[in-house]
Amino acid sequence: MQTILGAGGAIGIELAKSLTAYTSKIRLVSRNPEKVNDTDHIISADLGERAQVFEAIKGSAIVYVTIGFPYKLKIWQQYWPKFIKNVIDACIEHNCKLVFFDNIYMYDPNFLDGMNEETPINPPSKKGKVRAEIAGMIMEKVKKGELEALIARSADFYGPNIKNSSILTEMVFKPLSTGKKANWMASLNYKHSFTYTPDAAKATALLGNSPQAYNQVWHLPTAKNPYTGKEWIEAIAGEMGVKPRFQVASRLIIKILGLFIPVMREMPEMMYQYDRDYVFNSDKFDSHFNFKTTPYLEGIKEIVKSDYLRKHL
């Protein structure tokens, strides 16, 4: 049994599809789980409750954490450390391997150009401090030999059928598809990597089912030579057949957008990721696995063709 905690999100759904290459016993856990594959086992659970975390994990060989708590600092501070402690304790008790899907918020902002698994941990944001804390909790147990786990890190992600958790979808794809200007934060002139969600999911499933991958951090496969903000907007507009109209969003504009777009409300403290080159390096993964990473233009084409975006055209 391989279990996904937080099964209904952009990564969880793609991961459920990818795990069928390794097992027919897939357990999906969330508040309102829905089958992705016909053979999936579904469990409805409040993963904020310790007892329900233990019950959800019981009987699993591998547990994947892809849950996304609401993108609010207070909620993150309240729920993430407690949840991760419960997951760690349950995995130890039930002898499960743990795969934690992570982001890069904990990295030192001075080392984002070419960031890899050795990039210094020095989070500049309060959300980043939460991410550093929970990743540290996992690796501490690994170092003590009490837990077999790996951390799979992604850059900001993009992909088809993402409802509201992708900055690129909210800032560029959706506005352009409805005749509005695209938004970009801070500056159009810096490179910005994005990880394609189907690639991230396939790679996470591969790592989880590779015994030699455990007890270390991995950057998930991400296309090299990322576009600048301007190039992202131009490429997306080109595939949509619309003019690449845009506005650069200052901190004030981001706050105004946050009145209408929930994910944007918490972005002011994250704007440092857009005022410098943000280039994600996945050479470690690329050198260990034979994996075809989706080129950016191909990923854009798939999103433009996707059912979710088509509804906005």
Side-chain angles (χ1 to χ4, degrees):
M1 182 69 69
Q2 300 195 23
T3 296
I4 303 174
L5 302 181
I11 299 299
I13 291 170
E14 294 290 346
L15 179 58
K17 297 175 186 176
S18 300
L19 285 177
T20 58
Y22 306 96
T23 180
S24 60
K25 294 181 178 180
I26 300 168
R27 179 186 293 163
L28 308 182
V29 186
S30 66
R31 284 187 181 274
N32 300 293
E34 296 181 3
K35 287 187 177 184
V36 176
N37 312 296
D38 290 340
T39 56
D40 290 343
H41 303 243
I42 59 174
I43 293 180
S44 176
D46 177 357
L47 293 172
E49 296 295 327
R50 182 176 174 87
Q52 294 188 46
V53 170
F54 272 70
E55 188 61 31
I57 286 175
K58 185 178 180 180
S60 305
I62 306 171
V63 173
Y64 300 84
V65 173
T66 63
I67 191 170
F69 289 110
Y71 199 71
K72 296 179 180 178
L73 176 60
K74 289 183 179 179
I75 291 176
W76 277 32
Q77 291 172 329
Q78 180 180 354
Y79 284 98
W80 267 118
K82 183 176 77 168
F83 168 72
I84 290 298
K85 182 182 187 307
N86 292 340
V87 170
I88 290 171
D89 291 347
C91 285
I92 292 172
E93 180 168 313
H94 294 301
N95 195 29
C96 311
K97 294 179 179 178
L98 173 61
V99 177
F100 179 56
F101 189 91
D102 200 5
N103 62 29
I104 62 91
Y105 286 9
M106 73 295 300
Y107 287 154
D108 190 313
N110 297 308
F111 295 88
L112 297 189
D113 186 6
M115 55 187 137
N116 61 25
E117 293 84 351
E118 304 303 319
T119 295
I121 305 297
N122 182 26
S125 69
K126 292 178 180 178
K127 290 189 196 70
K129 288 179 170 60
V130 174
R131 302 302 296 206
E133 178 184 354
I134 60 180
M137 290 166 64
I138 293 169
M139 297 313 292
E140 181 184 3
K141 293 296 184 181
V142 165
K143 288 175 184 174
K144 290 182 177 178
E146 298 176 17
L147 175 69
E148 196 167 359
L150 67 86
I151 293 176
R153 282 200 179 120
S154 168
D156 287 343
F157 52 74
Y158 78 120
N161 303 312
I162 298 178
K163 292 181 180 177
N164 56 14
S165 56
S166 166
I167 292 296
L168 196 61
T169 299
E170 298 297 331
M171 291 198 308
V172 184
F173 281 100
K174 283 169 68 170
L176 289 180
S177 71
T178 54
K180 299 174 184 175
K181 291 181 180 179
N183 298 293
W184 200 264
M185 289 188 286
S187 172
L188 290 166
N189 300 321
Y190 294 104
K191 297 177 182 179
H192 200 98
S193 296
F194 286 88
T195 304
Y196 190 56
T197 48
D199 287 355
K202 289 174 188 173
T204 300
L206 175 57
L207 288 168
N209 286 277
S210 300
Q212 73 275 18
Y214 281 84
N215 302 335
Q216 52 191 306
V217 175
W218 295 85
H219 275 195
L220 293 167
T222 300
K224 298 184 185 301
N225 302 315
Y227 296 151
T228 64
K230 185 171 184 289
E231 289 168 341
W232 272 110
I233 293 167
E234 290 173 343
I236 292 166
E239 287 305 314
M240 288 183 174
V242 301
K243 291 183 178 180
R245 298 169 64 237
F246 60 83
Q247 61 184 6
V248 177
S250 65
R251 197 170 289 268
L252 175 61
I253 291 174
I254 291 297
K255 288 182 178 179
I256 293 171
L257 287 173
L259 298 175
F260 309 98
I261 306 171
V263 73
M264 302 302 287
R265 290 173 196 159
E266 300 275 320
M267 287 311 295
E269 74 162 355
M270 309 309 300
M271 286 184 71
Y272 73 91
Q273 296 182 109
Y274 291 83
D275 64 13
R276 66 202 70 198
D277 285 327
Y278 172 111
V279 180
F280 189 81
N281 180 302
S282 56
D283 286 351
K284 176 182 174 181
F285 183 95
D286 297 340
S287 66
H288 280 79
F289 299 98
N290 181 21
F291 190 96
K292 182 185 179 299
T293 303
T294 302
Y296 286 124
L297 193 57
E298 186 178 323
I300 290 168
K301 288 179 179 180
E302 288 300 315
I303 295 169
V304 172
K305 289 192 300 184
S306 72
D307 290 338
Y308 177 71
L309 197 62
R310 193 177 295 119
K311 293 174 184 176
H312 292 83
L313 288 170

